[in-house]
């Protein structure tokens, strides 16, 4: 194992927090420090002796600080291979000092973009010297240890303390890996900023944070969540979220956010088994549970309103995996936390993702998220019978659920409650018959109910089956070459039907 003492270090950082601990260690091990600008001033304020980069290169910081470290005497000292006689001869000839440690913390480009700053300010936060130092030091990890972010200070501290001011080749290679992760993430954010305008058909995705899950979809599969989940949720109780929990949480939140009214949504395997809106949270929950109290067992529940004690007492009677809400009354939370494994999430912000990705074959599919939903004002009335006001509300309600249900799907509903759904069937008729059978099983009358379909009806069989079951109004995208056949059946049998012109497949 090649243990190399650190004799000289180059430090150039944007953030100075916690750098004092590093400074004390470098002083302890008598490390010769090179630096410039604000970093040099900070190090000297901590009692460190510092050689300025300007005195090494013979050039001042120029162009408003854009050029400080970009010089052969800097990069030669980082990239020199001590096992290469020619490199050693040239560094001696040109009086280039060798660097054993480089510490960099880049300009905060991503954070500057997030503040909505001007393009001028954003461009100035594209680090040039720092990113070059990182890549050079990481490339020459055989000789140089690289710290590419203040997030790695603690790692360096442990390495120096454990090795008495030295680093091993294993240490340096690990640090190089971290460094290239930092540089690639930085470049990805810069590309994505510019590509908002250019719209090049290229994909760059980078997540600095991750959480290893207990397992993936099944226990024999590994699983990791990439991203900062706790920017969106505060977990108030329960075990760690699983892969399947997270998939269902996404489905529950996406659906409940469709409603402005007080709503409760119950999800099982990404599909809704209970949805209702009502005047009070308690009534909304009770109506949602009544949709299918069997499938609700072990499900994921979401609401768009605070959870009060009355609703919590009812929720507490059901075994469920996860409950998501914007807030919880203190007494309600005490009741819900009585089950130690029950996951309680307070939602801190709405879903913001505007795109969806899926690995497929030897690549990745990208698409815009389906953020479209039609309401009563957009319905195209195509039958002689016009939907009543209550039927229109029911159709709009059903359509929201339909959009979030696996295709082929049929939703049967009234204006404030899901009655039954046919989910993920290979034919639309099968989906409808599944929904009717389920409604009958749970004792729901379909008389006066409405039907929503995620895609058009290629034949009139679905409207015929629905009518005979008691359905009085239908919403579908339209667009079949045989639309007229479905319209004619509805006209002959006093069924109202509206088209939206928008398909909502979900695979």
């Amino acid at each position: 194992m090649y243990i190399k003492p650190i004799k000289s270090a180059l430090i150039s950082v944007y953030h100075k927090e916690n750098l004092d601990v590093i400074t004390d260690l470098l002083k302890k091990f008598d490390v010769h420090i090179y630096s410039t600008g604000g970093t040099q001033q900070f190090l000297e304020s901590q009692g460190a002796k510092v050689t300025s980069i300007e005195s090494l290169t013979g050039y001042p910081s120029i162009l408003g600080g854009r050029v400080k470290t970009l010089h052969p005497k800097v990069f030669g000292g980082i990239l020199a291979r001590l096992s290469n006689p020619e490199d050693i001869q040239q560094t001696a000839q040109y009086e280039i000092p060798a660097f054993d440690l480089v510490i960099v913390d880049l300009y905060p480009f991503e954070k500057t973009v997030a503040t909505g700053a001007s393009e001028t300010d954003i461009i100035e936060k594209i680090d040039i010297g720092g990113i070059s130092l990182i890549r050079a030091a990481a490339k020459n990890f055989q000789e140089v240890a690289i710290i590419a972010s203040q997030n790695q200070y603690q790692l360096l501290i442990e390495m120096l303390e454990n090795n008495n001011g030295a680093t091993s080749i294993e240490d340096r290679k690990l640090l190089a890996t971290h460094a290239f992760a930092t540089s690639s993430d930085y470049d990805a954010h810069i590309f994505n900023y510019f590509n908002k305008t250019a719209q090049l058909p290229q994909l760059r995705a980078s997540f600095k944070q991750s959480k290893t899950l207990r397992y993936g979809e099944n226990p024999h599969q590994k699983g990791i969540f990439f991203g900062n989940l706790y920017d969106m949720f505060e977990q108030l109780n329960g075990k760690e979220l699983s892969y399947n929990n997270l998939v269902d949480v996404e489905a529950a939140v996406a659906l409940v956010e469709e409603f402005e009214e007080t709503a409760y949504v119950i999800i099982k395997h990404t599909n809704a088994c209970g949805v209702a809106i009502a005047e009070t949270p308690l009534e909304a929950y009770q109506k949602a549970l009544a949709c299918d109290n069997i499938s609700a067992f072990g499900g994921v529940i979401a609401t768009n309103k605070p959870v009060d004690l009355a609703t919590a007492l009812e929720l507490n009677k059901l075994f469920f995996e996860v409950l998501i809400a914007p807030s919880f009354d203190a007494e309600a939370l005490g009741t819900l936390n009585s089950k130690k494994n029950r996951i309680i999430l307070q939602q801190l912000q709405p879903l913001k993702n505007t795109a969806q990705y899926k690995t497929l074959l030897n690549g990745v599919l990208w698409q815009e998220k389906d953020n479209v939903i039609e309401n009563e004002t957009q319905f195209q009335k195509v039958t002689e019978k016009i939907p009543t006001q209550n039927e229109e509300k029911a159709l709009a309600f059903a359509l929201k659920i339909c959009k979030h249900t696996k295709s082929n799907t049929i939703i049967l509903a009234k204006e404030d409650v899901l009655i039954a759904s046919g989910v993920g069937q290979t034919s639309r008729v099968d989906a409808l018959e599944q929904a009717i059978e389920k409604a009958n099983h749970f004792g729901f009358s379909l008389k006066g109910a409405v039907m929503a379909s995620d895609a058009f009806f290629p034949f009139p069989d679905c409207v015929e089956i629905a009518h005979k079951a008691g359905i009085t109004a239908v919403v579908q995208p339209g667009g079949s070459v045989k639309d007229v056949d479905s319209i004619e059946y509805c006209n002959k049998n006093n069924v109202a039907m509206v088209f939206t012109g928008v398909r909502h497949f979900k695979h």
Side-chain angles (χ1 to χ4, degrees), residues 112-397:
T112 304
V113 172
T115 65
S118 69
E119 181 160 279
T120 299
D121 290 340
I122 290 170
I123 298 304
E124 285 306 310
K125 288 299 186 290
I126 298 177
D127 205 311
I128 302 300
I131 205 77
S132 301
L133 292 170
I134 289 172
R135 291 179 63 83
K139 177 178 180 176
N140 199 24
F141 68 88
Q142 293 283 350
E143 308 293 347
V144 183
I146 171 65
I147 296 298
S149 166
Q150 65 178 156
N151 297 331
Q152 294 152 27
Y153 285 179
Q154 186 57 39
L155 183 58
L156 175 65
I157 290 167
E158 292 172 4
M159 288 177 178
L160 295 179
E161 289 179 339
N162 292 339
N163 293 322
N164 197 30
T167 60
S168 68
I169 184 64
E170 291 81 10
D171 291 339
R172 295 192 295 278
K173 192 167 186 179
L174 174 62
L175 291 174
T177 304
H178 282 297
F180 283 121
T182 297
S183 65
S184 63
D185 175 77
Y186 198 76
D187 285 341
H189 286 290
I190 294 171
F191 168 78
N192 288 330
Y193 170 77
F194 279 91
N195 205 39
K196 288 178 181 178
T197 302
Q199 294 291 297
L200 301 180
Q202 297 184 28
L203 175 64
R204 301 285 189 281
S206 182
F207 298 93
K208 290 189 285 290
Q209 293 176 286
S210 65
K211 179 179 177 58
T212 300
L213 306 174
R214 297 198 305 272
Y215 49 80
E217 198 163 10
N218 298 292
H220 62 276
Q221 296 170 268
K222 293 181 180 179
I224 301 174
F225 176 83
F226 290 98
N228 187 357
L229 187 65
Y230 299 107
D231 277 349
M232 186 164 184
F233 299 108
E234 180 181 357
Q235 184 166 346
L236 305 177
N237 189 67
K239 60 187 178 182
E240 288 192 6
L241 286 154
S242 71
Y243 180 101
N244 292 330
N245 288 156
L246 289 170
V247 173
D248 282 344
V249 165
E250 157 82 9
V253 170
L255 177 51
V256 83
E257 286 186 356
E258 296 282 3
F259 300 100
E260 295 181 4
E261 309 93 334
T262 299
Y264 263 83
V265 166
I266 306 174
I267 295 290
K268 198 73 171 287
H269 297 296
T270 75
N271 295 303
C273 59
V275 183
I277 57 177
E279 290 294 322
T280 68
L282 176 59
E283 184 185 1
Y285 168 67
Q286 289 174 327
K287 288 163 65 176
L289 179 62
C291 297
D292 181 352
N293 57 13
I294 295 175
S295 296
F297 183 87
V300 169
I301 303 173
T303 181
N304 56 0
K305 302 297 180 184
V307 177
D308 56 25
L309 178 59
T311 311
L313 290 170
E314 286 300 309
L315 282 160
N316 204 42
K317 298 175 183 177
L318 176 71
F319 169 73
F320 58 86
E321 288 277 339
V322 186
L323 173 63
I324 309 127
S327 63
F328 298 82
D329 293 353
E331 290 180 319
L333 188 60
T335 297
L336 294 166
N337 286 354
S338 62
K339 306 289 174 64
K340 67 176 183 178
N341 287 330
R342 177 186 285 160
I343 299 169
I344 306 296
L345 299 178
Q346 181 176 352
Q347 187 173 346
L348 305 177
Q349 61 184 36
L351 287 174
K352 294 181 179 179
N353 48 323
T354 58
Q356 294 175 314
Y357 308 86
K358 180 184 289 187
T359 57
L360 194 76
L361 301 175
N362 61 342
V364 176
L365 278 176
W366 173 94
Q367 69 170 357
E368 292 178 333
K369 187 179 177 182
D370 184 2
N371 285 322
V372 174
I373 190 64
E374 306 73 52
N375 58 38
E376 299 94 316
T377 63
Q378 298 160 295
F379 289 166
Q380 178 188 355
K381 300 172 176 66
V382 296
T383 53
E384 294 171 1
K385 182 188 175 186
I386 303 300
T388 66
Q389 186 175 8
N390 285 344
E391 285 174 334
E392 283 196 337
K393 288 181 179 179
L395 291 170
F397 174 84

Side-chain angles (χ1 to χ4, degrees), residues 76-116:
I78 296 171
L79 287 165
R81 295 159 292 186
L82 301 185
S83 60
N84 186 309
E86 187 176 351
D87 285 10
I88 295 174
Q89 183 270 323
Q90 288 181 345
T91 55
Q93 178 184 354
Y94 296 109
E95 298 181 330
I96 298 173
F99 294 109
D100 305 307
L101 171 65
V102 175
I103 302 177
V104 177
D105 185 63
L106 298 170
Y107 293 164
F109 176 84
E110 183 183 359
K111 289 182 179 178
T112 304
V113 172
T115 65

